[in-house]
Amino acid sequence: MFGLTWLSALARRRRGPLAATAAGVAVAVALLASIGTFVSSSKATMTRRAVAGVAVDWQVEAQNGSDPAAVLDTVRAFPGVRTALPVGFAATTGLEATTGGTTQTTGPGFVLGLPDSYRTAFPGELRDLAGAGTGVLLAQQTAANLHAAPGDTVTVGRAGLPPVSLRVDGVVELPEADSLFQKVGAPAGAQPQAPPDNVLLVPEARWHELFDPLAAPRPDLVHTQIHTALVRTLPGDPAAAYAAISGRARNLEVRLAGAGLVGDNLAATLAAARSDALYAQVLFVFLGLPGAVLAGLLTASVAAAGAGRRRREQALLRARGAATGRLVRLGLLEAGAVGVAGAVAGLALAVAVGRLAFGTAGFGATPLAAAGWAGGAALVGLAIAMATVAWPAVRDARTVTVVAGRQQVGRARAPRWARAGLDLWLLGASALVFWLTSRGGYQLVLAPEGVPSISVSYWAFAGPAFLWAGAGLMAWRIADLAVHRGRRLLAAVIRPVAGPLSGTVAASLARQRRILSRAVVLVGLTASFAASTATFNATYRHQAEVDARLSNGADVTVTESPGTVVGPGAAAALARVPGVAAVEPVQHRFAYVGADLQDLYGVRPSTIVGATSLQDAYFAGGTARTLIGRLAAQPDAVLVSAETVKDFQLHPGDAITLRLQDGRTHAFRDVRFHYAGVAKEFPTAPKDSFLVANADYVARATGSDAVGAFLVDTGHASPAAVAQRVRAVVGTQATVADIVTSRRLVGSSLTAVDLAGLTRVELGFALLLAAAATGLVLALGLAERRRTFAIASALGATPRQLGGFVWAEAAVVTVGGLLAGTVGGWALSHMLVKVLTGVFDPPPAALSVPWGYLTVLAGVALVAAGAAAAGAVRATRRPAMALIRDL
Amino acid sequence: MSGDRPRDDALVGRRGVGTGTGTGTDSAGPAPHHDVLVRAVGVARTFGKGRAAVVAVHGVSGEIRAGARLALTGPSGSGKSTLLHLLAGLDEPTVGTITWPALGERHQLRPGPVAMVFQGSSLLPPLDVAENVALPLLLAGGSPPDADAAARRALDRLGLADLAAKLPEELSGGQAQRVAVARALAGRPRLILADEPTGQLDHRTAAVVVDALLETADALGAALVVATHDPRVADRLAARWSMTDGRLVVPDGSLSCSA
């Protein structure tokens, strides 16, 4: 009963401090719950995005000797199968077409037999480019090789049987050719099989007419796959979805009893998404938890501001006979009330944030996840309230004497952690963990192919965590030392605001250095959290853009079909397309380096950067400008991969002879180059070894200036819109890809984890925390010294003189905190980006510093500090008579 | 109160209109303008509004002249502190006027001709004793070296030189009050107003603090007004005004007390 009376009195008389403490708890709860929403919703998004791009869920291949019809029946009867259609695969010895008076012949290829309903069931597998969408369809590259168009006749070679002629009805693109022509049943980790260059698609009935006769003598050349679409009711978590889908695929294989193997496209896609999801979780740990810890520290500071009041009240209660147990219960009651109020407010705030940032009001993709995140965040809030309100109250009730409680300033010894050098130990441990992590290549997420379980090396988190904590304590030590030992310097620095009182104000600050140092640390930790999060996010966004640009080559890339010969002059036609700002031709050849066949790109060093950006991270041993400059300076210079340098023990300037195909004779001939540097990545180039050389030199050496691709810069125009216009110009002779589509397709890349929501939440909370850390902590500290200001006022201090005390304290806390935050943020950003190297593809050459956000951050801190100081100055102008009467 | 203190100045109390203690007359006659440190005319101070309003001081009139030694007595809550704050210019009357004919305008009183000694610890916690004592001088525009020298002289005069480097939290209650007196002394005020300066002290320590106040006032030739409910303290001062429920009661119907 007394407890309720006490609580009711607190709510009436101490509404402000209680509300401020509950607000701190609410921020922590809201941050955790919001991040839970992010993790949960982004995992569900990853699953949805991953499976959305899968054209055919399963390709069940009937094994030799089995009856395809029986396999089809088994698949159709399997639970959860929505559609299953048979697709015939037959190998052809080659295709031939006579057009425009010339005859073109291709090498071996495949003829697929598609049921009539195939395009409706699997709309993502084929895309119309020209002519009809049904009947006999040529793949785009095959059409280019044969110079064939709808209406032309193609002759199909059959092993051991006479060729047959078919009239082409249309030309299509096969966007999912890699999975369509996969080797079903290949062992895990096997090199993916390149799709065939020549593909013809015919109706199912016609295919049977053409290739059933081949099946008996040559079963190795003909097989049937059952293409399957599943009812996609998947768990939100990609890892759970992967486990569910791959389990069902194995179950089907068991039912087929060896008659068929499942090519599980859905699981293959989810396998990539599950490691992305784990990285999202890792990012949550790295970027989210410090915010929650900060909110806890802030709450502790707010609660500590009321410690004096609580001690006085405890002394009064004790004087009136209250036992320690009752004091403890009152402390617990106050903490419980603050914790519950903060948790409720925090969850409400998280709902609002979720709606704004993620468009969802729940805390998880499933009710269980939602309950887990909401309950977990609320429990953390209660724990913070207990640690910051109840624990000090309990400790004071048991141990602290009134005299000890009176001490606010003084000559107390350095805290135990400072005497033990904990900050130095933490920084040392951080460096050690970082070094150990770097030795492991920063492999945080291990998701072995084909293995259901994935793991995270959480140990690597210790590096940044130790750095953050160590830097915070170090900032405390430096601030303490600077204010104490540097009193004269401090007096000189604050003279502009404190005038002749600067020495007295400096002395006052020096005696309150513990309180000031705590405030500096809080501001510094908040600033470093905000700065490192923002820098990481900016670097992440930048690298995602680089990744997409690297994969696509430029805003728009026009890739000529193999076999076609298009010179650099074709760039002029592209340059006339509305929205095109620059066009750059890039040769694509193949060259033998010893026995190794590698891609070779012929570029024009002086103009290549006009259409695409070359990052320093693409090269080794020099910047992009340096190495492209070497190409420009030396016509026969060549940039090679690091593996090539190692394999062939090359040194800069070494002569290197490559074998290139001559455009006139089609025979390979030796061409001499000089090794000029290492290229690790290049627009449109594959991940493995490749070469970059001068286009003019390659053209002279091979007698051909044929272009492999045109890189198109669209300036401010929409790449997708420009790509559409370019497609109309180039027709079926080339493939046109734009960076917008490429960004979506880089689905397997780790940068596909959509940080936008997390960024909005994190950076928003960081600003809130920065404002609170500077403004609220300063305001509370100054409010605690209202009595001091009232005394000074009673002694005759003018508002300007009182302002000197206030502004000097505000300046020390804000400037000191921001300085500590800048240094800590810089170090933390570097470490975060290094430790999370696995997130980046390619790794960034330098950090992307979000100057705009950092300016806003500093502005928010300064405005909050200014507002707190101005409020305190205003309050000192009219010192409360109650305070003066108490003197 | 020591017998050799200068008594050449006078205290003059005027009963306020409507105080219910008689009308009273100015028995000492009009004081020379330069002698009157504080003049209160019909002063009242009300806290709060409406039904919650509390009238702390009722229509008080009176004058305090240079060199006065006055005890302002009365039980707790009788309005002593409020009246002292009004006389010091820390607060403004709700009704009536207070002027400081010999001292200047209200904003010129502190730091300078008026010094306050408060009941509780009024030392600034983050400043050491010497810095606390020097503060009013610095606030008055003194140079740091001059203020420091004056502070050390004041401490020395009260035998507190050893405490110069101590922090307030390291002092006993008596020491802290003596330092507060030294702070008042350092500014060389003409009027020292002490509000229950011994309220939290034992008798022995209280006597030391009152000695310090009287010695300080004597040394400076300043007027001293001490609000106290302790008759032993009041007995050491030459004149006594009593307050009851915010009203000023002048003994023997006399409104003046001269040296």
Side-chain angles (χ1 to χ4, degrees):
Chain A
M1 190 62 200
F2 177 70
L4 288 178
T5 309
W6 179 258
L7 209 55
S8 161
L10 279 180
R12 285 198 309 275
R13 307 282 178 214
R14 305 285 177 200
R15 200 177 298 148
L18 282 185
T21 313
V25 173
V27 169
V29 170
L31 183 57
L32 284 176
S34 298
I35 287 171
T37 311
F38 161 75
V39 170
S40 191
S41 72
S42 62
K43 277 184 176 180
T45 305
M46 279 177 216
T47 304
R48 277 199 305 276
R49 274 178 54 180
V51 301
V54 177
V56 176
D57 294 345
W58 285 346
Q59 292 174 222
V60 185
E61 188 162 301
Q63 298 300 290
N64 275 341
S66 64
D67 177 10
V71 173
L72 178 62
D73 289 343
T74 308
V75 172
R76 280 183 172 157
F78 191 72
V81 169
R82 187 164 51 83
T83 312
L85 293 173
V87 176
F89 283 71
T92 170
T93 53
L95 303 172
E96 186 179 295
T98 303
T99 54
T102 62
T103 299
Q104 285 79 30
T105 306
T106 72
F110 271 95
V111 180
L112 271 59
L114 302 180
D116 292 342
S117 57
Y118 187 84
R119 298 204 62 176
T120 313
F122 305 105
E125 197 69 84
L126 278 72
R127 198 166 75 187
D128 291 330
L129 290 179
T134 57
V136 176
L137 306 172
L138 265 181
Q140 182 261 338
Q141 189 182 327
T142 315
N145 292 345
L146 293 171
H147 299 179
D152 292 337
T153 300
V154 174
T155 303
V156 182
R158 297 180 296 171
L161 293 173
V164 289
S165 293
L166 300 170
R167 187 173 173 279
V168 176
D169 295 309
V171 177
V172 294
E173 187 183 348
L174 301 172
E176 305 298 325
D178 287 343
S179 61
L180 181 62
F181 293 99
Q182 68 182 287
K183 181 168 171 51
V184 175
Q191 200 70 12
Q193 183 173 287
D197 289 339
N198 304 301
V199 178
L200 184 67
L201 311 165
V202 298
E204 184 185 18
R206 196 72 203 277
W207 183 85
H208 280 294
E209 283 174 25
L210 298 176
F211 294 102
D212 279 356
L214 187 64
R218 293 296 303 274
D220 57 313
L221 299 180
V222 181
H223 65 270
T224 300
Q225 285 187 0
I226 312 300
H227 284 197
T228 310
L230 300 171
V231 179
R232 290 175 175 176
T233 46
L234 297 170
D237 187 345
Y242 170 82
I245 284 295
S246 54
R248 287 174 63 194
R250 284 194 294 277
N251 187 274
L252 176 60
E253 284 181 340
V254 170
R255 290 191 190 201
L256 288 168
L261 289 176
V262 179
D264 194 346
N265 298 333
L266 210 49
T269 307
L270 287 168
R274 66 182 177 146
S275 57
D276 288 358
L278 206 53
Y279 260 107
Q281 205 158 306
V282 168
L283 291 174
F284 148 67
V285 174
F286 265 104
L287 306 179
L289 279 190
V293 171
L294 270 177
L297 289 176
L298 200 58
T299 310
S301 286
V302 174
R309 180 265 307 170
R310 193 186 53 245
R311 286 185 193 128
R312 284 193 295 276
E313 289 167 354
Q314 282 186 347
L316 282 172
L317 287 170
R318 211 195 283 269
R320 282 156 182 75
T324 302
R326 168 160 277 183
L327 297 179
V328 168
R329 281 197 298 279
L330 289 177
L332 290 172
L333 195 64
E334 184 180 338
V338 164
V340 169
V344 170
L347 291 178
L349 181 61
V351 169
V353 168
R355 276 186 194 282
L356 282 174
F358 314 118
T360 172
F363 301 118
T366 63
L368 190 66
W373 279 109
L379 278 178
V380 170
L382 279 174
I384 289 174
M386 287 296 160
T388 57
V389 179
W391 166 242
V394 170
R395 187 192 54 203
D396 292 352
R398 289 179 185 281
T399 57
V400 174
T401 63
V402 174
V403 174
R406 206 181 68 183
Q407 291 185 346
Q408 296 176 6
V409 294
R411 314 177 205 279
R413 293 176 68 194
R416 202 174 296 169
W417 67 260
R419 296 201 301 274
L422 182 62
D423 48 344
L424 299 172
W425 283 107
L426 282 171
L427 290 175
S430 168
L432 183 66
V433 172
F434 181 62
W435 177 68
L436 290 173
T437 313
S438 68
R439 284 179 67 204
Y442 311 107
Q443 285 296 320
L444 297 193
V445 174
L446 297 173
E449 202 177 333
V451 178
S453 65
I454 48 181
S455 61
V456 175
S457 167
Y458 284 100
W459 171 243
F461 300 173
F466 287 159
L467 174 65
W468 196 59
L473 295 179
M474 178 61 86
W476 190 100
R477 185 189 288 276
I478 292 172
D480 188 75
L481 199 68
V483 175
H484 182 43
R485 301 281 179 206
R487 237 166 85 172
R488 283 175 188 279
L489 181 65
L490 184 61
V493 169
I494 61 175
R495 186 172 291 279
V497 289
L501 284 172
S502 57
T504 306
V505 174
S508 164
L509 294 176
R511 305 260 165 58
Q512 298 173 96
R513 60 185 185 278
R514 295 287 148 81
I515 300 167
L516 289 179
S517 301
R518 272 204 297 273
V520 165
V521 167
L522 206 54
V523 174
L525 286 179
T526 312
S528 68
F529 160 68
S532 59
T533 304
T535 305
F536 177 82
N537 283 332
T539 308
Y540 186 93
R541 271 204 314 276
H542 181 252
Q543 288 311 112
E545 184 65 24
V546 168
D547 187 15
R549 190 168 290 275
L550 192 59
S551 304
N552 197 60
D555 290 340
V556 173
T557 304
V558 181
T559 307
E560 300 299 333
S561 298
T564 58
V565 178
V566 176
L574 295 175
R576 284 194 293 274
V577 174
V580 171
V583 182
E584 182 66 21
V586 174
Q587 295 170 348
H588 181 217
R589 309 290 168 84
F590 291 99
Y592 279 101
V593 185
D596 187 20
L597 187 64
Q598 295 186 9
D599 296 80
L600 182 143
Y601 295 88
V603 302
R604 301 191 303 197
S606 55
T607 55
I608 177 81
V609 290
T612 188
S613 64
L614 298 177
Q615 306 284 312
D616 290 341
Y618 296 176
F619 303 94
T623 61
R625 180 188 286 268
T626 310
L627 292 183
I628 291 297
R630 282 184 202 162
L631 279 187
Q634 192 178 352
D636 65 348
V638 65
L639 305 179
V640 306
S641 68
E643 292 83 358
T644 305
V645 173
K646 189 178 166 194
D647 291 348
F648 295 90
Q649 293 292 303
L650 295 176
H651 297 93
D654 282 358
I656 172 170
T657 301
L658 305 177
R659 294 184 67 224
L660 285 165
Q661 193 175 32
D662 191 294
R664 293 151 300 200
T665 63
H666 297 288
F668 277 89
R669 54 169 294 216
D670 290 351
V671 180
R672 194 176 170 83
F673 287 87
H674 281 91
Y675 161 55
V678 172
K680 296 190 288 187
E681 311 263 10
F682 205 76
T684 73
K687 286 271 177 202
D688 52 2
S689 299
F690 61 89
L691 307 150
V692 179
N694 273 302
D696 288 345
Y697 182 74
V698 173
R700 279 201 306 277
T702 61
S704 168
D705 61 358
V707 172
F710 289 96
L711 306 181
V712 177
D713 178 37
T714 62
H716 297 296
S718 157
V722 173
Q724 200 60 38
R725 289 183 213 125
V726 169
R727 273 191 201 101
V729 172
V730 300
T732 60
Q733 292 301 309
T735 309
V736 180
D738 65 90
I739 194 166
V740 179
T741 311
S742 178
R743 273 190 209 116
R744 282 203 300 271
L745 290 178
V746 188
S748 62
S749 163
L750 290 168
T751 40
V753 178
D754 184 10
L755 269 190
L758 182 66
T759 303
R760 279 196 293 274
V761 171
E762 289 277 336
L763 300 188
F765 271 101
L767 286 180
L768 184 68
L769 287 169
T774 43
L776 194 59
V777 169
L778 201 54
L780 286 168
L782 291 170
E784 280 292 289
R785 281 185 281 293
R786 276 194 311 165
R787 184 181 153 80
T788 298
F789 296 136
I791 295 170
S793 179
L795 293 176
T798 62
R800 184 186 169 82
Q801 289 168 328
L802 290 172
F805 280 88
V806 174
W807 286 110
E809 182 166 340
V812 167
V813 169
T814 313
V815 174
L818 289 180
L819 270 177
T822 304
V823 175
W826 177 83
L828 205 55
S829 299
H830 276 277
M831 187 177 271
L832 270 181
V833 169
K834 272 287 178 198
V835 170
L836 290 169
T837 293
V839 175
F840 299 106
D841 184 19
L847 298 182
S848 300
V849 182
W851 291 112
Y853 178 82
L854 295 182
T855 306
V856 170
L857 178 73
V860 163
L862 291 174
V863 166
V873 168
R874 203 166 42 246
T876 61
R877 285 191 180 146
R878 288 185 291 103
M881 281 312 297
L883 280 173
I884 289 186
R885 284 203 302 274
D886 285 346
L887 293 178
Chain B
M1 204 177 296
S2 58
D4 58 353
R5 286 197 306 278
R7 297 297 301 266
D8 54 340
D9 295 326
L11 300 168
V12 180
R14 298 172 193 271
R15 272 186 291 184
V17 177
T19 59
T21 54
T23 52
T25 55
D26 185 352
S27 61
H33 187 75
H34 65 273
D35 268 359
V36 178
L37 301 179
V38 190
R39 176 178 292 135
V41 179
V43 167
R45 179 67 168 97
T46 305
F47 294 104
K49 287 180 181 173
R51 295 177 64 184
V54 175
V55 183
V57 170
H58 285 270
V60 167
S61 298
E63 288 178 357
I64 296 170
R65 295 186 196 163
R69 299 286 181 272
L70 174 63
L72 193 58
T73 63
S76 296
S78 60
K80 303 188 297 293
S81 293
T82 303
L83 181 57
L84 221 53
H85 291 150
L86 289 166
L87 296 177
L90 281 170
D91 196 7
E92 287 180 272
T94 319
V95 176
T97 57
I98 297 182
T99 53
W100 297 268
L103 304 179
E105 297 297 317
R106 184 177 171 218
H107 69 271
Q108 296 172 316
L109 304 179
R110 292 163 295 104
V114 175
M116 279 288 295
V117 178
F118 297 95
Q119 178 178 5
S121 171
S122 62
L123 301 179
L124 273 71
L127 300 182
D128 67 21
V129 164
E131 289 161 346
N132 259 291
V133 174
L135 184 61
L137 302 167
L138 289 169
L139 294 175
S143 72
D146 290 349
D148 185 62
R152 290 183 188 281
R153 279 198 300 275
L155 288 170
D156 198 34
R157 183 173 294 168
L158 292 176
L160 300 170
D162 291 348
L163 302 180
K166 297 263 188 198
L167 288 173
E169 68 188 28
E170 297 166 333
L171 303 178
S172 67
Q175 286 174 325
Q177 281 301 58
R178 285 163 66 204
V179 171
V181 172
R183 184 169 63 187
L185 166 67
R188 307 189 70 78
R190 293 182 63 192
L191 172 61
I192 300 171
L193 301 164
D195 184 9
E196 299 277 11
T198 61
Q200 297 178 347
L201 306 177
D202 60 67
H203 296 314
R204 185 188 297 269
T205 311
V208 172
V209 169
V210 173
D211 285 346
L213 276 170
L214 289 169
E215 285 162 16
T216 299
D218 289 347
L220 298 174
L224 173 67
V225 180
V226 179
T228 180
H229 62 267
D230 184 345
R232 278 170 294 198
V233 174
D235 286 347
R236 300 193 56 187
L237 295 156
R240 181 184 301 197
W241 289 353
S242 296
M243 288 197 78
T244 306
D245 294 335
R247 295 179 176 84
L248 193 60
V249 180
V250 182
D252 308 327
S254 171
L255 296 174
S256 68
C257 177
S258 55

